[in-house]
Amino acid sequence: MISTSVTRLLGIDLPIIQGGMSWASSSSALPLAVSRAGGLGVVAVGPMRLPDLTRTLDEMADGTDRPWAVNLPLYRRGADEVIDVLLQRRPPILIASQGGPQRYLDRFRDVGTTCLHVVAGTEHAHKAAAAGVDGLVVVGAEAGGHPPPAMVTTQVLVRAVVTEVPDIPVIASGGVADGAGLAAMLALGAGAAQFGTRFLASHEATVHPNYKAAVLAATVDGTRAVGRGLGVTRALANEFTARMTELEESNADLDVRRKAFQAATLRDAALYGDVTWGKAEAGQSAGLIRSVLPATEIIEQIVAEYTSACERLRPPR
C-alpha cells in the first residue's frame, strides 16, 4: 500500500488511477483488472449506449468489492439520461469533465458517490473546489485526448493547483507512464497520478491491435496537438494530424478546418484500426512505453519503479 490523500479519499491501495479512455475502457475488462489490483479502474461512459452502460455497471458491481469509477464527459449527447442511469446504479466514484459540477454534484452526493472533477487550469480548480467536489483531476498539456487549451505542462499546472487550492486532493494527469513519473507527481503535492496511454497499451484495453502497435512505435515527439478553435486533441502523428497542422499553419478558414477535423474520429482508430486517418488519441508518454502487458503487470511494474525512484532519492548513509 502507498497511502496518500487520494488513496484515503477513494479507499484504494495504490495512487494509480486508470484514465477513462473512450473505447479502451468502455467495458468492464480493463477497469475490473485495475481495481482488483489495488488501483482505481475507470469506466469511460462517453461513447456507450444506455443498455451497454447498464450491463457494464452491473458487471463492475458484481466483479469486485474494490472501489471503481465512471468517467462522464458532460457534453456527451444524452448526458442527462446517462446521469439518471448512474444515479440508479450508484457508482462508488464519479469523475466528471467538460462541464460544471453544479449540474450533478448534489444528486450524486445524495446517493453516496464520491465526486472528482477534471480541470485544466487554476481558475477552474478554484471554482470546482468552491462548488464542493471531493477531489480534482488536473490535466496537463502532455495528456492524450483533450489537453488544456493553454497547453500548460502537467508539472507546472499540478504545482500551481496544489499551491493555490491546498485543501483538496489532486490527481495529476498527463505525461506519466511509469513509477518514476508517479513519484514525481507525488513530490509535486498530488495524491495520485492518472495513467491513460500506459493502460491503452494493456491486454484488457478494448481497442484495435493496430492502435496498440502505433502507441508502441511512437517516440516522445510522436504526438501532435491539433484542433485550434475546435477543441484541441492530442493524437499520434499521422496523416490526419499532418493535414490539420497544414491547415492551421496556413490559417485556413475555420469551416475548412472543422470539416477536416470532424472527418476523422477516435472510433476509426480504436474500433477499426485506422491509425493513418483516424484520431489515434495518445499522450506524449507513448514514447516511454515499450510493451503491451496485462493490467496487473503494469501496476506491479509501476509500483516497483516507484519504489526504486524513492530509494534513489534517499540521502546516502
mmCIF file of all heavy atoms in Angstrom, residues 229-275:
data_model
loop_
_atom_site.group_PDB
_atom_site.id
_atom_site.type_symbol
_atom_site.label_atom_id
_atom_site.label_comp_id
_atom_site.label_asym_id
_atom_site.label_seq_id
_atom_site.Cartn_x
_atom_site.Cartn_y
_atom_site.Cartn_z
ATOM 1 N N GLY A 229 -9.206 26.094 -31.923
ATOM 2 C CA GLY A 229 -10.513 26.692 -32.139
ATOM 3 C C GLY A 229 -11.641 25.688 -32.278
ATOM 4 O O GLY A 229 -12.801 26.069 -32.428
ATOM 5 N N LEU A 230 -11.301 24.397 -32.218
ATOM 6 C CA LEU A 230 -12.301 23.348 -32.417
ATOM 7 C C LEU A 230 -12.364 22.371 -31.247
ATOM 8 O O LEU A 230 -13.198 21.468 -31.249
ATOM 9 C CB LEU A 230 -11.981 22.570 -33.706
ATOM 10 C CG LEU A 230 -11.965 23.391 -34.997
ATOM 11 C CD1 LEU A 230 -11.336 22.586 -36.127
ATOM 12 C CD2 LEU A 230 -13.375 23.815 -35.366
ATOM 13 N N GLY A 231 -11.491 22.569 -30.276
ATOM 14 C CA GLY A 231 -11.362 21.617 -29.176
ATOM 15 C C GLY A 231 -10.094 20.810 -29.374
ATOM 16 O O GLY A 231 -10.094 19.785 -30.047
ATOM 17 N N VAL A 232 -8.993 21.294 -28.803
ATOM 18 C CA VAL A 232 -7.682 20.705 -29.076
ATOM 19 C C VAL A 232 -7.654 19.233 -28.693
ATOM 20 O O VAL A 232 -8.133 18.834 -27.627
ATOM 21 C CB VAL A 232 -6.578 21.468 -28.326
ATOM 22 C CG1 VAL A 232 -5.224 20.799 -28.534
ATOM 23 C CG2 VAL A 232 -6.528 22.919 -28.798
ATOM 24 N N THR A 233 -7.081 18.418 -29.581
ATOM 25 C CA THR A 233 -6.921 16.979 -29.359
ATOM 26 C C THR A 233 -5.459 16.602 -29.550
ATOM 27 O O THR A 233 -4.838 17.019 -30.529
ATOM 28 C CB THR A 233 -7.788 16.178 -30.349
ATOM 29 O OG1 THR A 233 -9.161 16.428 -30.088
ATOM 30 C CG2 THR A 233 -7.527 14.684 -30.217
ATOM 31 N N ARG A 234 -4.918 15.820 -28.605
ATOM 32 C CA ARG A 234 -3.566 15.288 -28.791
ATOM 33 C C ARG A 234 -3.691 13.848 -29.268
ATOM 34 O O ARG A 234 -4.356 13.027 -28.649
ATOM 35 C CB ARG A 234 -2.726 15.343 -27.511
ATOM 36 C CG ARG A 234 -1.283 14.824 -27.743
ATOM 37 C CD ARG A 234 -0.400 14.955 -26.517
ATOM 38 N NE ARG A 234 -0.130 16.325 -26.161
ATOM 39 C CZ ARG A 234 0.735 17.127 -26.795
ATOM 40 N NH1 ARG A 234 1.414 16.667 -27.861
ATOM 41 N NH2 ARG A 234 0.939 18.363 -26.393
ATOM 42 N N ALA A 235 -3.034 13.567 -30.404
ATOM 43 C CA ALA A 235 -3.125 12.237 -31.005
ATOM 44 C C ALA A 235 -1.777 11.864 -31.602
ATOM 45 O O ALA A 235 -0.897 12.715 -31.794
ATOM 46 C CB ALA A 235 -4.206 12.217 -32.084
ATOM 47 N N LEU A 236 -1.610 10.583 -31.896
ATOM 48 C CA LEU A 236 -0.394 10.127 -32.558
ATOM 49 C C LEU A 236 -0.254 10.797 -33.916
ATOM 50 O O LEU A 236 -1.239 10.971 -34.646
ATOM 51 C CB LEU A 236 -0.440 8.610 -32.731
ATOM 52 C CG LEU A 236 -0.493 7.779 -31.441
ATOM 53 C CD1 LEU A 236 -0.698 6.309 -31.780
ATOM 54 C CD2 LEU A 236 0.779 7.967 -30.621
ATOM 55 N N ALA A 237 0.973 11.170 -34.247
ATOM 56 C CA ALA A 237 1.223 11.830 -35.532
ATOM 57 C C ALA A 237 0.883 10.884 -36.682
ATOM 58 O O ALA A 237 1.379 9.749 -36.730
ATOM 59 C CB ALA A 237 2.682 12.266 -35.618
ATOM 60 N N ASN A 238 0.034 11.342 -37.587
ATOM 61 C CA ASN A 238 -0.345 10.546 -38.749
ATOM 62 C C ASN A 238 -0.842 11.479 -39.851
ATOM 63 O O ASN A 238 -0.629 12.700 -39.769
ATOM 64 C CB ASN A 238 -1.398 9.486 -38.374
ATOM 65 C CG ASN A 238 -2.702 10.088 -37.851
ATOM 66 O OD1 ASN A 238 -2.905 11.305 -37.865
ATOM 67 N ND2 ASN A 238 -3.588 9.234 -37.393
ATOM 68 N N GLU A 239 -1.486 10.951 -40.859
ATOM 69 C CA GLU A 239 -1.955 11.785 -41.964
ATOM 70 C C GLU A 239 -3.003 12.793 -41.502
ATOM 71 O O GLU A 239 -3.063 13.919 -41.983
ATOM 72 C CB GLU A 239 -2.514 10.912 -43.088
ATOM 73 C CG GLU A 239 -1.482 10.051 -43.793
ATOM 74 C CD GLU A 239 -0.437 10.875 -44.522
ATOM 75 O OE1 GLU A 239 -0.749 12.018 -44.923
ATOM 76 O OE2 GLU A 239 0.702 10.391 -44.673
ATOM 77 N N PHE A 240 -3.842 12.375 -40.552
ATOM 78 C CA PHE A 240 -4.846 13.299 -40.026
ATOM 79 C C PHE A 240 -4.198 14.494 -39.338
ATOM 80 O O PHE A 240 -4.538 15.649 -39.617
ATOM 81 C CB PHE A 240 -5.770 12.577 -39.045
ATOM 82 C CG PHE A 240 -6.455 13.491 -38.071
ATOM 83 C CD1 PHE A 240 -7.417 14.385 -38.498
ATOM 84 C CD2 PHE A 240 -6.114 13.474 -36.717
ATOM 85 C CE1 PHE A 240 -8.037 15.249 -37.596
ATOM 86 C CE2 PHE A 240 -6.736 14.324 -35.818
ATOM 87 C CZ PHE A 240 -7.691 15.224 -36.258
ATOM 88 N N THR A 241 -3.255 14.246 -38.421
ATOM 89 C CA THR A 241 -2.628 15.357 -37.713
ATOM 90 C C THR A 241 -1.781 16.205 -38.663
ATOM 91 O O THR A 241 -1.695 17.424 -38.492
ATOM 92 C CB THR A 241 -1.763 14.865 -36.541
ATOM 93 O OG1 THR A 241 -0.705 14.038 -37.029
ATOM 94 C CG2 THR A 241 -2.600 14.103 -35.525
ATOM 95 N N ALA A 242 -1.175 15.579 -39.677
ATOM 96 C CA ALA A 242 -0.402 16.338 -40.659
ATOM 97 C C ALA A 242 -1.306 17.285 -41.439
ATOM 98 O O ALA A 242 -0.945 18.447 -41.700
ATOM 99 C CB ALA A 242 0.329 15.387 -41.608
ATOM 100 N N ARG A 243 -2.477 16.792 -41.832
ATOM 101 C CA ARG A 243 -3.421 17.631 -42.564
ATOM 102 C C ARG A 243 -3.911 18.780 -41.703
ATOM 103 O O ARG A 243 -3.973 19.932 -42.152
ATOM 104 C CB ARG A 243 -4.603 16.779 -43.034
ATOM 105 C CG ARG A 243 -5.726 17.549 -43.735
ATOM 106 C CD ARG A 243 -5.228 18.269 -44.967
ATOM 107 N NE ARG A 243 -6.317 18.914 -45.675
ATOM 108 C CZ ARG A 243 -6.139 19.936 -46.524
ATOM 109 N NH1 ARG A 243 -4.924 20.425 -46.749
ATOM 110 N NH2 ARG A 243 -7.182 20.468 -47.132
ATOM 111 N N MET A 244 -4.237 18.504 -40.441
ATOM 112 C CA MET A 244 -4.695 19.567 -39.552
ATOM 113 C C MET A 244 -3.602 20.588 -39.295
ATOM 114 O O MET A 244 -3.856 21.801 -39.278
ATOM 115 C CB MET A 244 -5.166 18.964 -38.225
ATOM 116 C CG MET A 244 -6.489 18.221 -38.296
ATOM 117 S SD MET A 244 -7.863 19.215 -38.937
ATOM 118 C CE MET A 244 -7.836 20.642 -37.843
ATOM 119 N N THR A 245 -2.370 20.132 -39.126
ATOM 120 C CA THR A 245 -1.257 21.052 -38.915
ATOM 121 C C THR A 245 -1.069 21.957 -40.124
ATOM 122 O O THR A 245 -0.852 23.178 -39.990
ATOM 123 C CB THR A 245 0.035 20.267 -38.626
ATOM 124 O OG1 THR A 245 -0.150 19.470 -37.448
ATOM 125 C CG2 THR A 245 1.207 21.209 -38.422
ATOM 126 N N GLU A 246 -1.165 21.373 -41.303
ATOM 127 C CA GLU A 246 -1.037 22.159 -42.538
ATOM 128 C C GLU A 246 -2.112 23.237 -42.616
ATOM 129 O O GLU A 246 -1.825 24.395 -42.946
ATOM 130 C CB GLU A 246 -1.145 21.224 -43.744
ATOM 131 C CG GLU A 246 -1.112 21.923 -45.090
ATOM 132 C CD GLU A 246 -1.376 20.974 -46.251
ATOM 133 O OE1 GLU A 246 -1.684 19.795 -46.020
ATOM 134 O OE2 GLU A 246 -1.312 21.434 -47.409
ATOM 135 N N LEU A 247 -3.343 22.873 -42.302
ATOM 136 C CA LEU A 247 -4.440 23.835 -42.364
ATOM 137 C C LEU A 247 -4.275 24.933 -41.313
ATOM 138 O O LEU A 247 -4.542 26.115 -41.585
ATOM 139 C CB LEU A 247 -5.774 23.116 -42.167
ATOM 140 C CG LEU A 247 -6.208 22.177 -43.293
ATOM 141 C CD1 LEU A 247 -7.461 21.397 -42.885
ATOM 142 C CD2 LEU A 247 -6.473 22.962 -44.580
ATOM 143 N N GLU A 248 -3.836 24.560 -40.132
ATOM 144 C CA GLU A 248 -3.679 25.553 -39.070
ATOM 145 C C GLU A 248 -2.528 26.499 -39.358
ATOM 146 O O GLU A 248 -2.641 27.719 -39.138
ATOM 147 C CB GLU A 248 -3.472 24.831 -37.738
ATOM 148 C CG GLU A 248 -4.740 24.124 -37.250
ATOM 149 C CD GLU A 248 -4.539 23.238 -36.048
ATOM 150 O OE1 GLU A 248 -3.387 23.149 -35.561
ATOM 151 O OE2 GLU A 248 -5.519 22.636 -35.602
ATOM 152 N N GLU A 249 -1.431 25.975 -39.859
ATOM 153 C CA GLU A 249 -0.276 26.838 -40.149
ATOM 154 C C GLU A 249 -0.529 27.777 -41.314
ATOM 155 O O GLU A 249 0.088 28.844 -41.410
ATOM 156 C CB GLU A 249 0.958 25.971 -40.416
ATOM 157 C CG GLU A 249 1.474 25.263 -39.162
ATOM 158 C CD GLU A 249 2.699 24.411 -39.425
ATOM 159 O OE1 GLU A 249 3.011 24.182 -40.617
ATOM 160 O OE2 GLU A 249 3.335 23.972 -38.447
ATOM 161 N N SER A 250 -1.444 27.392 -42.210
ATOM 162 C CA SER A 250 -1.781 28.261 -43.345
ATOM 163 C C SER A 250 -2.970 29.161 -43.035
ATOM 164 O O SER A 250 -3.443 29.892 -43.921
ATOM 165 C CB SER A 250 -2.101 27.402 -44.571
ATOM 166 O OG SER A 250 -3.264 26.621 -44.362
ATOM 167 N N ASN A 251 -3.442 29.141 -41.777
ATOM 168 C CA ASN A 251 -4.591 29.941 -41.352
ATOM 169 C C ASN A 251 -5.810 29.713 -42.240
ATOM 170 O O ASN A 251 -6.512 30.649 -42.627
ATOM 171 C CB ASN A 251 -4.231 31.433 -41.331
ATOM 172 C CG ASN A 251 -3.262 31.778 -40.218
ATOM 173 O OD1 ASN A 251 -3.427 31.327 -39.086
ATOM 174 N ND2 ASN A 251 -2.236 32.561 -40.537
ATOM 175 N N ALA A 252 -6.068 28.449 -42.540
ATOM 176 C CA ALA A 252 -7.235 28.104 -43.349
ATOM 177 C C ALA A 252 -8.508 28.510 -42.631
ATOM 178 O O ALA A 252 -8.551 28.632 -41.403
ATOM 179 C CB ALA A 252 -7.245 26.601 -43.625
ATOM 180 N N ASP A 253 -9.560 28.743 -43.405
ATOM 181 C CA ASP A 253 -10.848 29.129 -42.857
ATOM 182 C C ASP A 253 -11.314 28.103 -41.812
ATOM 183 O O ASP A 253 -11.091 26.902 -41.967
ATOM 184 C CB ASP A 253 -11.871 29.225 -43.991
ATOM 185 C CG ASP A 253 -13.216 29.713 -43.504
ATOM 186 O OD1 ASP A 253 -13.364 30.931 -43.312
ATOM 187 O OD2 ASP A 253 -14.115 28.861 -43.306
ATOM 188 N N LEU A 254 -11.977 28.590 -40.775
ATOM 189 C CA LEU A 254 -12.408 27.713 -39.695
ATOM 190 C C LEU A 254 -13.322 26.600 -40.196
ATOM 191 O O LEU A 254 -13.209 25.450 -39.748
ATOM 192 C CB LEU A 254 -13.129 28.517 -38.615
ATOM 193 C CG LEU A 254 -13.618 27.721 -37.393
ATOM 194 C CD1 LEU A 254 -12.462 27.077 -36.646
ATOM 195 C CD2 LEU A 254 -14.418 28.627 -36.449
ATOM 196 N N ASP A 255 -14.197 26.890 -41.129
ATOM 197 C CA ASP A 255 -15.098 25.857 -41.643
ATOM 198 C C ASP A 255 -14.329 24.758 -42.369
ATOM 199 O O ASP A 255 -14.695 23.576 -42.293
ATOM 200 C CB ASP A 255 -16.144 26.468 -42.576
ATOM 201 C CG ASP A 255 -17.184 27.281 -41.826
ATOM 202 O OD1 ASP A 255 -17.367 27.034 -40.620
ATOM 203 O OD2 ASP A 255 -17.813 28.165 -42.450
ATOM 204 N N VAL A 256 -13.266 25.124 -43.063
ATOM 205 C CA VAL A 256 -12.434 24.134 -43.749
ATOM 206 C C VAL A 256 -11.740 23.249 -42.725
ATOM 207 O O VAL A 256 -11.690 22.019 -42.856
ATOM 208 C CB VAL A 256 -11.396 24.826 -44.660
ATOM 209 C CG1 VAL A 256 -10.435 23.802 -45.264
ATOM 210 C CG2 VAL A 256 -12.097 25.609 -45.761
ATOM 211 N N ARG A 257 -11.215 23.875 -41.681
ATOM 212 C CA ARG A 257 -10.544 23.107 -40.632
ATOM 213 C C ARG A 257 -11.532 22.214 -39.882
ATOM 214 O O ARG A 257 -11.218 21.075 -39.537
ATOM 215 C CB ARG A 257 -9.834 24.046 -39.667
ATOM 216 C CG ARG A 257 -8.596 24.702 -40.274
ATOM 217 C CD ARG A 257 -7.789 25.468 -39.262
ATOM 218 N NE ARG A 257 -8.348 26.769 -38.977
ATOM 219 C CZ ARG A 257 -8.735 27.183 -37.764
ATOM 220 N NH1 ARG A 257 -8.613 26.378 -36.727
ATOM 221 N NH2 ARG A 257 -9.225 28.400 -37.596
ATOM 222 N N ARG A 258 -12.717 22.741 -39.641
ATOM 223 C CA ARG A 258 -13.733 21.941 -38.941
ATOM 224 C C ARG A 258 -14.108 20.696 -39.743
ATOM 225 O O ARG A 258 -14.251 19.601 -39.193
ATOM 226 C CB ARG A 258 -14.981 22.776 -38.674
ATOM 227 C CG ARG A 258 -16.070 21.995 -37.929
ATOM 228 C CD ARG A 258 -17.310 22.815 -37.688
ATOM 229 N NE ARG A 258 -17.084 23.868 -36.708
ATOM 230 C CZ ARG A 258 -17.042 25.167 -36.990
ATOM 231 N NH1 ARG A 258 -17.206 25.580 -38.252
ATOM 232 N NH2 ARG A 258 -16.831 26.055 -36.045
ATOM 233 N N LYS A 259 -14.254 20.846 -41.045
ATOM 234 C CA LYS A 259 -14.612 19.707 -41.892
ATOM 235 C C LYS A 259 -13.543 18.620 -41.814
ATOM 236 O O LYS A 259 -13.856 17.432 -41.686
ATOM 237 C CB LYS A 259 -14.810 20.165 -43.329
ATOM 238 C CG LYS A 259 -15.269 19.059 -44.274
ATOM 239 C CD LYS A 259 -15.522 19.604 -45.671
ATOM 240 C CE LYS A 259 -15.986 18.487 -46.612
ATOM 241 N NZ LYS A 259 -16.243 19.007 -47.986
ATOM 242 N N ALA A 260 -12.274 19.013 -41.890
ATOM 243 C CA ALA A 260 -11.184 18.041 -41.814
ATOM 244 C C ALA A 260 -11.105 17.414 -40.429
ATOM 245 O O ALA A 260 -10.847 16.218 -40.285
ATOM 246 C CB ALA A 260 -9.858 18.714 -42.168
ATOM 247 N N PHE A 261 -11.344 18.227 -39.409
ATOM 248 C CA PHE A 261 -11.265 17.747 -38.024
ATOM 249 C C PHE A 261 -12.361 16.728 -37.729
ATOM 250 O O PHE A 261 -12.126 15.698 -37.096
ATOM 251 C CB PHE A 261 -11.376 18.946 -37.077
ATOM 252 C CG PHE A 261 -11.053 18.641 -35.647
ATOM 253 C CD1 PHE A 261 -9.742 18.395 -35.253
ATOM 254 C CD2 PHE A 261 -12.046 18.615 -34.682
ATOM 255 C CE1 PHE A 261 -9.427 18.136 -33.928
ATOM 256 C CE2 PHE A 261 -11.746 18.350 -33.358
ATOM 257 C CZ PHE A 261 -10.443 18.108 -32.979
ATOM 258 N N GLN A 262 -13.553 17.004 -38.196
ATOM 259 C CA GLN A 262 -14.682 16.120 -37.919
ATOM 260 C C GLN A 262 -14.710 14.889 -38.806
ATOM 261 O O GLN A 262 -15.405 13.914 -38.487
ATOM 262 C CB GLN A 262 -15.990 16.900 -38.042
ATOM 263 C CG GLN A 262 -16.150 17.992 -36.992
ATOM 264 C CD GLN A 262 -17.420 18.799 -37.150
ATOM 265 O OE1 GLN A 262 -18.079 18.759 -38.195
ATOM 266 N NE2 GLN A 262 -17.785 19.542 -36.114
ATOM 267 N N ALA A 263 -13.961 14.920 -39.897
ATOM 268 C CA ALA A 263 -13.930 13.758 -40.791
ATOM 269 C C ALA A 263 -13.204 12.580 -40.161
ATOM 270 O O ALA A 263 -13.441 11.421 -40.517
ATOM 271 C CB ALA A 263 -13.263 14.131 -42.115
ATOM 272 N N ALA A 264 -12.305 12.861 -39.239
ATOM 273 C CA ALA A 264 -11.566 11.804 -38.537
ATOM 274 C C ALA A 264 -12.193 11.591 -37.167
ATOM 275 O O ALA A 264 -12.642 12.540 -36.523
ATOM 276 C CB ALA A 264 -10.100 12.188 -38.388
ATOM 277 N N THR A 265 -12.216 10.338 -36.715
ATOM 278 C CA THR A 265 -12.800 10.040 -35.404
ATOM 279 C C THR A 265 -11.908 9.097 -34.614
ATOM 280 O O THR A 265 -11.113 8.341 -35.178
ATOM 281 C CB THR A 265 -14.191 9.390 -35.534
ATOM 282 O OG1 THR A 265 -14.050 8.078 -36.103
ATOM 283 C CG2 THR A 265 -15.118 10.240 -36.395
ATOM 284 N N LEU A 266 -12.073 9.128 -33.310
ATOM 285 C CA LEU A 266 -11.402 8.166 -32.434
ATOM 286 C C LEU A 266 -11.916 6.759 -32.714
ATOM 287 O O LEU A 266 -11.162 5.788 -32.657
ATOM 288 C CB LEU A 266 -11.629 8.548 -30.978
ATOM 289 C CG LEU A 266 -11.127 7.574 -29.911
ATOM 290 C CD1 LEU A 266 -9.627 7.336 -30.036
ATOM 291 C CD2 LEU A 266 -11.489 8.085 -28.523
ATOM 292 N N ARG A 267 -13.189 6.648 -33.030
ATOM 293 C CA ARG A 267 -13.778 5.352 -33.332
ATOM 294 C C ARG A 267 -13.049 4.662 -34.483
ATOM 295 O O ARG A 267 -12.820 3.447 -34.454
ATOM 296 C CB ARG A 267 -15.260 5.533 -33.682
ATOM 297 C CG ARG A 267 -16.004 4.248 -34.002
ATOM 298 C CD ARG A 267 -17.402 4.558 -34.525
ATOM 299 N NE ARG A 267 -18.142 3.356 -34.834
ATOM 300 C CZ ARG A 267 -19.080 2.816 -34.066
ATOM 301 N NH1 ARG A 267 -19.395 3.397 -32.932
ATOM 302 N NH2 ARG A 267 -19.709 1.721 -34.442
ATOM 303 N N ASP A 268 -12.664 5.440 -35.493
ATOM 304 C CA ASP A 268 -11.951 4.863 -36.640
ATOM 305 C C ASP A 268 -10.673 4.171 -36.197
ATOM 306 O O ASP A 268 -10.342 3.080 -36.680
ATOM 307 C CB ASP A 268 -11.618 5.952 -37.668
ATOM 308 C CG ASP A 268 -12.846 6.499 -38.368
ATOM 309 O OD1 ASP A 268 -13.878 5.792 -38.410
ATOM 310 O OD2 ASP A 268 -12.778 7.645 -38.873
ATOM 311 N N ALA A 269 -9.947 4.801 -35.293
ATOM 312 C CA ALA A 269 -8.687 4.219 -34.816
ATOM 313 C C ALA A 269 -8.931 3.093 -33.825
ATOM 314 O O ALA A 269 -8.331 2.019 -33.929
ATOM 315 C CB ALA A 269 -7.824 5.307 -34.175
ATOM 316 N N ALA A 270 -9.822 3.333 -32.863
ATOM 317 C CA ALA A 270 -9.997 2.397 -31.762
ATOM 318 C C ALA A 270 -10.709 1.114 -32.172
ATOM 319 O O ALA A 270 -10.308 0.019 -31.764
ATOM 320 C CB ALA A 270 -10.765 3.067 -30.628
ATOM 321 N N LEU A 271 -11.738 1.226 -32.990
ATOM 322 C CA LEU A 271 -12.514 0.041 -33.360
ATOM 323 C C LEU A 271 -12.066 -0.588 -34.664
ATOM 324 O O LEU A 271 -12.061 -1.806 -34.810
ATOM 325 C CB LEU A 271 -14.004 0.395 -33.449
ATOM 326 C CG LEU A 271 -14.722 0.709 -32.140
ATOM 327 C CD1 LEU A 271 -16.221 0.760 -32.367
ATOM 328 C CD2 LEU A 271 -14.397 -0.299 -31.053
ATOM 329 N N TYR A 272 -11.695 0.262 -35.634
ATOM 330 C CA TYR A 272 -11.395 -0.249 -36.970
ATOM 331 C C TYR A 272 -9.906 -0.269 -37.301
ATOM 332 O O TYR A 272 -9.508 -0.738 -38.361
ATOM 333 C CB TYR A 272 -12.151 0.572 -38.020
ATOM 334 C CG TYR A 272 -13.634 0.640 -37.738
ATOM 335 C CD1 TYR A 272 -14.286 1.867 -37.658
ATOM 336 C CD2 TYR A 272 -14.378 -0.517 -37.516
ATOM 337 C CE1 TYR A 272 -15.650 1.932 -37.386
ATOM 338 C CE2 TYR A 272 -15.734 -0.455 -37.235
ATOM 339 C CZ TYR A 272 -16.364 0.765 -37.174
ATOM 340 O OH TYR A 272 -17.705 0.833 -36.890
ATOM 341 N N GLY A 273 -9.076 0.253 -36.403
ATOM 342 C CA GLY A 273 -7.635 0.173 -36.595
ATOM 343 C C GLY A 273 -7.067 1.135 -37.602
ATOM 344 O O GLY A 273 -5.936 0.959 -38.063
ATOM 345 N N ASP A 274 -7.812 2.192 -37.961
ATOM 346 C CA ASP A 274 -7.306 3.182 -38.913
ATOM 347 C C ASP A 274 -6.446 4.189 -38.162
ATOM 348 O O ASP A 274 -6.924 5.209 -37.677
ATOM 349 C CB ASP A 274 -8.458 3.887 -39.621
ATOM 350 C CG ASP A 274 -7.964 4.875 -40.688
ATOM 351 O OD1 ASP A 274 -6.729 5.001 -40.849
ATOM 352 O OD2 ASP A 274 -8.811 5.499 -41.345
ATOM 353 N N VAL A 275 -5.164 3.892 -38.055
ATOM 354 C CA VAL A 275 -4.246 4.791 -37.361
ATOM 355 C C VAL A 275 -3.537 5.720 -38.334
ATOM 356 O O VAL A 275 -2.595 6.419 -37.965
ATOM 357 C CB VAL A 275 -3.214 3.989 -36.529
ATOM 358 C CG1 VAL A 275 -3.905 3.253 -35.393
ATOM 359 C CG2 VAL A 275 -2.441 3.014 -37.399
#
